[in-house]
Every structure is written in structure tokens, then in C-alpha cells.
Amino acid sequence: MTTAIIPRARFGPLLAATVLTFLLVWLFIRTSHILLLLFLAILISLYLGAIASYISERLRIPRAPAIGIGAVLSLAALVGLIWLLVPPVIQQTQALLAVLPQHIATWDAALGRLAERFPGLQQVYRPGENRLFIGIYNTLTEAFAEIPARAISIGHAAINIFSVGIMGLYLALAPGGYREWLIPFFPPVHRDLVRDVLTECAETLRAWIVGQLLAMLVLAAFTAIPLYMLDVRYWLTFGIFTGSVA
């Protein structure tokens, strides 16, 4: 009688693979913020690379000065957007804060009259208690109390933006060197394939960035032009804001 030989499961390699998988997942979760910043830096480098290629072909200059010109022009455009968007927002916010107490009092009085007409509402809103004013006041108080934490968060975001900009600039200056540094992490038999995949990914992302910029421009124009024809104030600001949030 032939006895079937049942292979025994190797518990050691299975346990090691499970632990290694959990460690890799934990490492990915812990470094997801850094990986996201790195991906943003790659997008910025591709954007600068596309602009540098265009400037280099038109002005017949080397790539490095073209990247510098592209970075300066992009920074100037960003400052121009902030200059166009921030002053109207501040002006409108100041105008709203100036008339907000009067509107709150009007709304509170209207709710009080409504509660007097319908006694059932007095269980929720009693006339003279000014719940609306108190609620808005408490909300504003909590918002101002969080200003220090928000300031720290803004500072942290500014550091991240600066880091992403520097990384994007370095990646744009020498994209081939960083790509070749990454390829040795793969088996030799697959390195040519990895090189081709990275090149195609860069071209696809570059085309996506150009398409996204064109979509932003179209949305901004289609918003600003009708508002200008309707004689709406801050038509350019609304158009730029619509294009920017795309």
C-alpha cells in the first residue's frame, strides 16, 4: 500500500513573510506624508522641465538657465495670483464684518416674532434669549482661540511648500541621474523595462500637467468673460479663483 506524502507547510517562512508585509504596510503609512511630498516634487519638476524645454528651444539657451527662468516666471505668476485674489477677499470680509451685527440682530428679531406667532417654536427658540447671536459669538470665539494652532499649521505648510519646491528644482535639473539611481533597486533583467516605464510615466504626467493648465485657463476665461459682460465687480478675481481651484 502506497502512502501519500503530504508536504508540511513551512511555518517559519510564512511567519516571516507575514511580519515583513505588516512592517512594509506600517512603514508606508508612517512615510505616506513624505511620499506625497515627493510625488508633488516630481510633478513640479516635470512642470519646470516642460517650461524649460520650451524656453530652451525658443531662446537657444542651456537647460539650467531655462529652468531658472521658468521658476522665476512661475513664482511671479503665483505672486500675481495672490495679489489679485487677496485684496478683494479682505475687502469683502471687512464689509461683511461691518454689517454682520446688524444682520444678526435683524435675524434674531425675525426669529423672535416667528416664535411668538407659533408657540410650539418657543421650546426651541424663546424670544429675547438671542440664541443666534450667542451661537455666532461662541463660534467666532472658538475660531479665534484656534489661531495659535492654525499659525503653527500654516508654518508647517510653508516649510513643506519650500521643501517641495527645492526638491522639484533639483529633480528638474538632473532627472536622469535620479532615475538611474532608482533603477538599480530592481533586478537586472527588468531594469530596461523599468527605465522605459519611468520614461513613459514622465511623459504621461507632463502631458497631464499641460492639459490641466489648459483646463484651468479655459475655466478662468469662461467665468471671467461672462461676469465682465454682466458688469460684475471683481470679475477677474472670480475668473482666476475658478481656474485656480480646478
Side-chain angles (χ1 to χ4, degrees):
M1 182 176 179
T2 306
T3 304
I5 300 176
I6 301 176
R8 296 181 179 179
R10 297 182 178 180
F11 180 74
L14 181 62
L15 178 61
T18 303
V19 173
L20 182 61
T21 302
F22 276 107
L23 288 177
L24 290 176
V25 172
W26 176 82
L27 181 63
F28 179 79
I29 293 174
R30 298 292 295 180
T31 59
S32 59
H33 180 67
I34 299 176
L35 295 176
L36 178 60
L37 294 180
L38 180 60
F39 179 70
L40 293 176
I42 293 173
L43 290 180
I44 292 176
S45 69
L46 294 174
Y47 162 77
L48 292 176
I51 294 181
S53 299
Y54 179 82
I55 295 175
S56 179
E57 292 176 0
R58 295 299 183 274
L59 300 181
R60 305 296 181 182
I61 59 176
R63 179 179 176 83
I67 289 178
I69 295 174
V72 171
L73 292 177
S74 301
L75 185 61
L78 180 61
V79 173
L81 288 177
I82 295 174
W83 180 75
L84 288 172
L85 292 175
V86 172
V89 172
I90 294 177
Q91 183 178 356
Q92 293 292 324
T93 303
Q94 290 176 347
L96 176 63
L97 293 177
V99 299
L100 187 59
Q102 181 180 357
H103 286 299
I104 292 175
T106 303
W107 298 335
D108 203 358
L111 290 175
R113 291 192 298 268
L114 186 64
E116 290 178 355
R117 292 178 56 187
F118 300 96
L121 294 177
Q122 295 183 6
Q123 298 179 357
V124 180
Y125 188 92
R126 294 182 180 180
E129 289 188 353
N130 298 326
R131 289 188 178 182
L132 181 62
F133 181 81
I134 294 174
I136 295 177
Y137 175 80
N138 291 334
T139 302
L140 292 176
T141 302
E142 293 175 358
F144 281 109
E146 295 178 356
I147 287 179
R150 293 181 183 272
I152 295 175
S153 178
I154 292 174
H156 187 261
I159 295 174
N160 288 337
I161 292 173
F162 179 77
S163 302
V164 167
I166 296 299
M167 286 191 295
L169 188 61
Y170 272 97
L171 290 174
L173 288 172
Y178 293 101
R179 182 178 63 246
E180 295 300 325
W181 175 83
L182 179 64
I183 290 175
F185 286 95
F186 295 89
V189 67
H190 298 304
R191 289 177 183 176
D192 291 336
L193 177 62
V194 172
R195 185 178 290 106
D196 294 337
V197 169
L198 291 177
T199 303
E200 292 180 1
C201 286
E203 294 176 354
T204 303
L205 285 175
R206 188 179 295 110
W208 175 81
I209 292 172
V210 174
Q212 187 67 27
L213 291 175
L214 291 176
M216 293 168 63
L217 181 61
V218 171
L219 286 174
F222 280 10
T223 302
I225 293 175
L227 293 179
Y228 175 76
M229 296 174 64
L230 294 173
D231 197 20
V232 177
R233 295 182 62 188
Y234 305 118
W235 57 271
L236 182 59
T237 302
F238 284 122
I240 293 175
F241 178 77
T242 303
S244 300
V245 299

